mmCIF file of all heavy atoms in Angstrom:
data_model
loop_
_atom_site.group_PDB
_atom_site.id
_atom_site.type_symbol
_atom_site.label_atom_id
_atom_site.label_comp_id
_atom_site.label_asym_id
_atom_site.label_seq_id
_atom_site.Cartn_x
_atom_site.Cartn_y
_atom_site.Cartn_z
ATOM 1 N N MET A 80 -13.894 14.350 -11.746
ATOM 2 C CA MET A 80 -13.017 15.182 -10.834
ATOM 3 C C MET A 80 -12.552 14.405 -9.611
ATOM 4 O O MET A 80 -11.383 14.466 -9.226
ATOM 5 C CB MET A 80 -13.683 16.510 -10.411
ATOM 6 C CG MET A 80 -14.069 17.420 -11.633
ATOM 7 S SD MET A 80 -12.644 17.870 -12.589
ATOM 8 C CE MET A 80 -11.828 19.048 -11.508
ATOM 9 N N LYS A 81 -13.415 13.549 -9.162
ATOM 10 C CA LYS A 81 -13.072 12.791 -8.004
ATOM 11 C C LYS A 81 -12.020 11.661 -8.218
ATOM 12 O O LYS A 81 -11.476 11.126 -7.310
ATOM 13 C CB LYS A 81 -14.339 12.049 -7.308
ATOM 14 C CG LYS A 81 -14.914 11.034 -8.286
ATOM 15 C CD LYS A 81 -16.128 10.388 -7.639
ATOM 16 C CE LYS A 81 -16.739 9.337 -8.506
ATOM 17 N NZ LYS A 81 -17.919 8.630 -7.888
ATOM 18 N N ASP A 82 -11.748 11.467 -9.456
ATOM 19 C CA ASP A 82 -10.642 10.475 -9.827
ATOM 20 C C ASP A 82 -9.288 11.030 -9.699
ATOM 21 O O ASP A 82 -8.290 10.299 -9.787
ATOM 22 C CB ASP A 82 -10.768 9.995 -11.335
ATOM 23 C CG ASP A 82 -12.098 9.164 -11.484
ATOM 24 O OD1 ASP A 82 -12.685 8.618 -10.467
ATOM 25 O OD2 ASP A 82 -12.674 9.280 -12.617
ATOM 26 N N SER A 83 -9.197 12.342 -9.433
ATOM 27 C CA SER A 83 -7.873 12.956 -9.102
ATOM 28 C C SER A 83 -7.327 12.380 -7.900
ATOM 29 O O SER A 83 -7.904 12.496 -6.739
ATOM 30 C CB SER A 83 -8.007 14.416 -9.030
ATOM 31 O OG SER A 83 -8.327 15.133 -10.162
ATOM 32 N N ALA A 84 -6.225 11.635 -8.023
ATOM 33 C CA ALA A 84 -5.628 10.807 -6.921
ATOM 34 C C ALA A 84 -4.329 10.243 -7.373
ATOM 35 O O ALA A 84 -3.908 10.403 -8.489
ATOM 36 C CB ALA A 84 -6.570 9.744 -6.539
ATOM 37 N N SER A 85 -3.657 9.572 -6.391
ATOM 38 C CA SER A 85 -2.496 8.779 -6.760
ATOM 39 C C SER A 85 -2.864 7.299 -6.962
ATOM 40 O O SER A 85 -3.694 6.826 -6.219
ATOM 41 C CB SER A 85 -1.419 8.991 -5.699
ATOM 42 O OG SER A 85 -0.185 8.262 -5.978
ATOM 43 N N TYR A 86 -2.237 6.702 -7.975
ATOM 44 C CA TYR A 86 -2.631 5.361 -8.275
ATOM 45 C C TYR A 86 -1.385 4.518 -8.065
ATOM 46 O O TYR A 86 -0.283 4.762 -8.718
ATOM 47 C CB TYR A 86 -3.228 5.222 -9.680
ATOM 48 C CG TYR A 86 -4.509 5.832 -9.685
ATOM 49 C CD1 TYR A 86 -4.710 7.218 -9.997
ATOM 50 C CD2 TYR A 86 -5.728 5.088 -9.494
ATOM 51 C CE1 TYR A 86 -5.933 7.862 -9.999
ATOM 52 C CE2 TYR A 86 -7.009 5.719 -9.453
ATOM 53 C CZ TYR A 86 -7.092 7.121 -9.730
ATOM 54 O OH TYR A 86 -8.295 7.652 -9.703
ATOM 55 N N LEU A 87 -1.441 3.514 -7.212
ATOM 56 C CA LEU A 87 -0.301 2.693 -6.811
ATOM 57 C C LEU A 87 -0.349 1.322 -7.411
ATOM 58 O O LEU A 87 -1.353 0.604 -7.218
ATOM 59 C CB LEU A 87 -0.330 2.552 -5.284
ATOM 60 C CG LEU A 87 -0.481 3.773 -4.433
ATOM 61 C CD1 LEU A 87 -0.462 3.494 -2.981
ATOM 62 C CD2 LEU A 87 0.483 4.927 -4.779
ATOM 63 N N CYS A 88 0.759 0.962 -8.117
ATOM 64 C CA CYS A 88 0.863 -0.419 -8.615
ATOM 65 C C CYS A 88 1.651 -1.168 -7.651
ATOM 66 O O CYS A 88 2.665 -0.685 -7.064
ATOM 67 C CB CYS A 88 1.585 -0.291 -9.931
ATOM 68 S SG CYS A 88 2.143 -1.852 -10.732
ATOM 69 N N ALA A 89 1.222 -2.423 -7.402
ATOM 70 C CA ALA A 89 1.958 -3.290 -6.438
ATOM 71 C C ALA A 89 2.044 -4.672 -6.882
ATOM 72 O O ALA A 89 0.942 -5.250 -7.200
ATOM 73 C CB ALA A 89 1.263 -3.135 -4.994
ATOM 74 N N ALA A 90 3.217 -5.302 -6.866
ATOM 75 C CA ALA A 90 3.395 -6.641 -7.331
ATOM 76 C C ALA A 90 3.535 -7.564 -6.107
ATOM 77 O O ALA A 90 4.314 -7.205 -5.209
ATOM 78 C CB ALA A 90 4.545 -6.800 -8.324
ATOM 79 N N CYS A 91 3.009 -8.737 -6.111
ATOM 80 C CA CYS A 91 3.104 -9.736 -5.049
ATOM 81 C C CYS A 91 4.184 -10.702 -5.451
ATOM 82 O O CYS A 91 3.984 -11.426 -6.479
ATOM 83 C CB CYS A 91 1.833 -10.387 -4.727
ATOM 84 S SG CYS A 91 1.795 -11.584 -3.400
ATOM 85 N N SER A 92 5.265 -10.883 -4.701
ATOM 86 C CA SER A 92 6.341 -11.732 -5.042
ATOM 87 C C SER A 92 6.119 -13.143 -4.393
ATOM 88 O O SER A 92 5.107 -13.370 -3.788
ATOM 89 C CB SER A 92 7.651 -11.128 -4.622
ATOM 90 O OG SER A 92 7.580 -10.854 -3.273
ATOM 91 N N ASN A 93 7.135 -13.987 -4.570
ATOM 92 C CA ASN A 93 6.907 -15.346 -4.173
ATOM 93 C C ASN A 93 6.946 -15.511 -2.661
ATOM 94 O O ASN A 93 6.636 -16.573 -2.132
ATOM 95 C CB ASN A 93 7.996 -16.279 -4.826
ATOM 96 C CG ASN A 93 9.397 -15.846 -4.423
ATOM 97 O OD1 ASN A 93 9.553 -14.914 -3.701
ATOM 98 N ND2 ASN A 93 10.345 -16.574 -5.004
ATOM 99 N N ASP A 94 7.316 -14.452 -1.885
ATOM 100 C CA ASP A 94 7.120 -14.509 -0.455
ATOM 101 C C ASP A 94 5.811 -13.943 0.046
ATOM 102 O O ASP A 94 5.696 -13.717 1.222
ATOM 103 C CB ASP A 94 8.372 -13.897 0.296
ATOM 104 C CG ASP A 94 8.466 -12.378 -0.077
ATOM 105 O OD1 ASP A 94 7.620 -11.874 -0.909
ATOM 106 O OD2 ASP A 94 9.352 -11.780 0.483
ATOM 107 N N TYR A 95 4.970 -13.698 -0.938
ATOM 108 C CA TYR A 95 3.645 -13.220 -0.627
ATOM 109 C C TYR A 95 3.605 -11.796 0.032
ATOM 110 O O TYR A 95 2.719 -11.435 0.711
ATOM 111 C CB TYR A 95 2.876 -14.143 0.255
ATOM 112 C CG TYR A 95 2.597 -15.515 -0.507
ATOM 113 C CD1 TYR A 95 3.313 -16.636 -0.078
ATOM 114 C CD2 TYR A 95 1.712 -15.576 -1.552
ATOM 115 C CE1 TYR A 95 3.188 -17.811 -0.804
ATOM 116 C CE2 TYR A 95 1.578 -16.837 -2.175
ATOM 117 C CZ TYR A 95 2.335 -17.956 -1.763
ATOM 118 O OH TYR A 95 2.125 -19.083 -2.383
ATOM 119 N N LYS A 96 4.578 -10.959 -0.255
ATOM 120 C CA LYS A 96 4.645 -9.605 0.169
ATOM 121 C C LYS A 96 4.534 -8.666 -1.033
ATOM 122 O O LYS A 96 5.032 -8.988 -2.120
ATOM 123 C CB LYS A 96 5.985 -9.335 0.958
ATOM 124 C CG LYS A 96 6.148 -10.224 2.156
ATOM 125 C CD LYS A 96 4.991 -9.957 3.154
ATOM 126 C CE LYS A 96 4.987 -11.002 4.330
ATOM 127 N NZ LYS A 96 4.413 -12.309 3.931
ATOM 128 N N LEU A 97 3.982 -7.579 -0.773
ATOM 129 C CA LEU A 97 3.736 -6.549 -1.880
ATOM 130 C C LEU A 97 4.893 -5.583 -1.938
ATOM 131 O O LEU A 97 5.459 -5.113 -0.947
ATOM 132 C CB LEU A 97 2.451 -5.803 -1.596
ATOM 133 C CG LEU A 97 1.163 -6.494 -1.643
ATOM 134 C CD1 LEU A 97 -0.033 -5.486 -1.546
ATOM 135 C CD2 LEU A 97 0.982 -7.193 -2.938
#
Side-chain angles (χ1 to χ4, degrees):
Chain A
M80 299 301 288
K81 67 179 182 179
D82 297 330
S83 291
S85 183
Y86 292 84
L87 314 179
C88 173
C91 181
S92 55
N93 60 0
D94 62 355
Y95 298 104
K96 299 300 170 283
L97 293 186

